[in-house]
Amino acid sequence: MYQNPILYADYSDPDVIRVGEDYYMVASSFTYLPGVPLLHSRDLVHWEMINYCVRSLPFEKYDRPSHGSGTWAPSIRYHEGIFYVFIPLPDEGIYVASSKDPYGEFTLCCLHEAKGWIDPCPFWDEDGKAYMVFAYANSRCGIKHRLDLVEIDPECTKVLSEPIAIFDGEQLGPTTEGPKLYQYQGYYYILMPSGGVATGWQSVLRAKSIYGPYEYRIIMHQGNTDVNGPHQGGWVIAPDGRHWFLHFQDVHELGRILHLQPMCFNNGWPFIGVEQNGDGIGEPVKEWRLPAKGEPRYQIKKSDDFTGDSLGLQWQWQANPKDFYYSLAGHSGLRLFCLANDKRENLLWYAPNAFTQIPQHPACSMTTKVRLLGKEAGDMASIGVIGHAYAYLGIQLTKKGHVLCLYTGAVTEKNLEGKAIEELSKTCSYDMDTVYLRLELYHNKTYRFAWSSDGIRYTFMGKEFPLRRATWTGAKLCLWSANKENGSSEGYGEYEFIHIEDRGNGKAGL
C-alpha cells in the first residue's frame, strides 16, 4: 500500500506522462530558477529529481526576483522521440522546452507571445494535426473561467489559428484552469480543476470532436475528506492498463503537496478516487494499493556536503542563476559571495542570490557549519526561511568584530519586484568567524533558530516565528550571503555542509 500525500513538498501544478515503464513529472516554480523541475519514478509513488527544463528565462526582468511571475503550470508530453514541456509565462507568452533526453539539456523556444495565456497543454491528433488547449489568468487579462483551443504546428514552433472557445465556465465552473487534453476510446477528454485552489474540485469535459461541443462533469471533490480542493494534475495509464491521477492539495504555508488517486471509467466517464458519501462523485483516498511492486529506489535529496563540481538539483535561486553568486571548486564547501544589491535595498525578499530549497517534510531541521570570510563591514552569511513573513539568522562582520544577527522581514507588496520591510530583531556578540546555524521547523507551522560554536551545544536565538507562504509557492528554506550595508565586497560565506533531517510528530529538539 501507499499513503497520501506521496510527496509532502511544494511541486505545484504537476503533470505526468509514462514512457515505457518510466514516469516523468513536471511542476511549476515561478520566480525560482532553474525552473520547471523534472522528476522520474518507476511506480508513481517514489520520485527522484533528475533535471530542470528551464535553466534561466530570457528576460532581464528575471535577473531579479519576480514574485508570482515566471514559470506557471507546465505540461509534459512525449511525441516521436522528443520530450515537450509547454511552459506559460503569464506576462510574456507560451514557451516550449524540448529534449530527446530527459537527463540532458532542454532547448527553450517561444511558441506564442501573449499576456494572460496560461496552463497550456499540447495534443497531436490521429490526422497529424497538433493543438494546444489553454486557460487565462484573471490577474493578467480579466478572464478566469474560459478554455480556448488553437491549432499549432506539429513541431511546436508556432500557433496556426486564432483561439476558439471550447468551454465557458462562468457559472458552471468558475476559475477553470489547468486543462490537460487526452483521447481515449473514441472521446476527447479535458481534465481540469474548477472553483479555485483552496476549495475547488476536479472536472472533466468530454466530446466526440476536438472542438466540441463538450459535456461537463465533476469527477472528484473534497467530500467528507480533509483533502481540500483536490486540484489540477495529470492522468496516466500504467503498463498493466490501470488508470491513475496525480494532483495537488494546497496546504498553504508549505505550498501544494502531491496525492495519487486510482482512476477508472464508468459509462464513458472518468471516476477519480473512491465513492464515500453516496453523491456519485469521487473523493481522495488516504491509502491504496501500489501501482507497481518492488522496493522503492528513489528519494528527493535534501542534505548536501557540496563536494561535487556542480550544484545539487535540490537547489534553486530566487532569480536567474549567475556564476558570480557562488563557487565550488577547490573549497571546503560552498562559497556564497557577500554581494550588494545594485537595484535597491539589500533585503532577502529582493535578493536574486538567495539560495533556496523546497521543504520535503512538514517538520524538519536544517543545520549548516559556515565560516564567514568577511572583507567589509556588513558582510554576512545566513540561513533562513522565505515567505510573506520571513526571518534569517547569520554571522555578520561589523567594525567591532563578529556578531550573530537575527533579521525579520514582512512583505507589503507580494507580486513581481514587490516591497518588504526588514528589521534587525536580535544580536549577540561572537568572537569567532565560524558558527553552526540551525533552523527548526515544527509541525505546528512555526520555526525557530539556534546557534552553536561546537556543533554539540545549541542556544536558541529569538522567538518562534509563524511560517508563511511566499507568492504562489510554499515557504522556502534558504542560504544567503550578502553585504547588509549594500556595499561592494569580496567577502563570502563558506558553507561546509547542509544537513536536513525530517522529524516525526511533535517538535524537533536540540
Side-chain angles (χ1 to χ4, degrees), residues 302-324:
K302 303 181 287 290
S303 298
D304 203 334
D305 59 8
F306 304 116
T307 57
D309 56 4
S310 61
L311 297 174
L313 290 173
Q314 66 267 48
W315 298 104
Q316 295 173 292
W317 304 95
Q318 199 172 219
N320 275 333
K322 302 293 183 182
D323 290 341
F324 60 83

Side-chain angles (χ1 to χ4, degrees), residues 253-312:
E253 291 87 354
L254 287 172
R256 301 170 181 184
I257 61 176
L258 297 192
H259 293 244
L260 180 67
Q261 305 297 336
M263 176 173 153
C264 65
F265 276 78
N266 182 35
N267 294 324
W269 287 96
F271 183 93
I272 300 176
V274 64
E275 169 61 88
Q276 297 186 41
N277 60 4
D279 62 5
I281 300 173
E283 296 176 347
V285 301
K286 289 185 177 180
E287 64 176 14
W288 203 257
R289 293 178 298 278
L290 278 165
K293 295 180 180 180
E295 293 296 321
R297 296 191 296 164
Y298 304 125
Q299 61 180 352
I300 308 297
K301 292 182 179 180
K302 303 181 287 290
S303 298
D304 203 334
D305 59 8
F306 304 116
T307 57
D309 56 4
S310 61
L311 297 174

Side-chain angles (χ1 to χ4, degrees), residues 33 57 59-64 66 69-70 91-92 319-320:
L33 292 152
L57 292 173
F59 299 94
E60 184 180 354
K61 159 187 172 182
Y62 296 105
D63 290 340
R64 302 179 298 279
S66 187
S69 191
D91 300 309
E92 290 86 17
N320 275 333

Side-chain angles (χ1 to χ4, degrees), residues 83-98:
F83 290 85
Y84 291 95
V85 181
F86 274 52
I87 303 164
L89 306 183
D91 300 309
E92 290 86 17
I94 305 299
Y95 280 71
V96 179
S98 60

Side-chain angles (χ1 to χ4, degrees), residues 425-485:
S425 176
K426 195 174 183 65
T427 62
C428 175
S429 297
Y430 192 75
D431 59 4
M432 293 182 287
D433 63 3
T434 301
V435 66
Y436 294 82
L437 301 176
R438 177 172 289 179
L439 164 69
E440 297 277 1
L441 173 61
Y442 303 137
H443 273 280
N444 66 358
K445 298 180 179 179
T446 65
Y447 61 97
R448 196 174 184 184
F449 295 96
W451 63 271
S452 171
S453 60
D454 59 11
I456 301 173
R457 296 176 297 274
Y458 281 83
T459 301
F460 280 119
M461 188 164 174
K463 63 179 182 178
E464 288 186 17
F465 297 102
L467 193 66
R468 294 289 183 263
R469 72 179 307 154
T471 306
W472 295 118
T473 79
K476 305 280 187 178
L477 308 176
C478 76
L479 305 176
W480 185 41
S481 293
N483 183 277
K484 288 299 293 176
E485 295 188 6

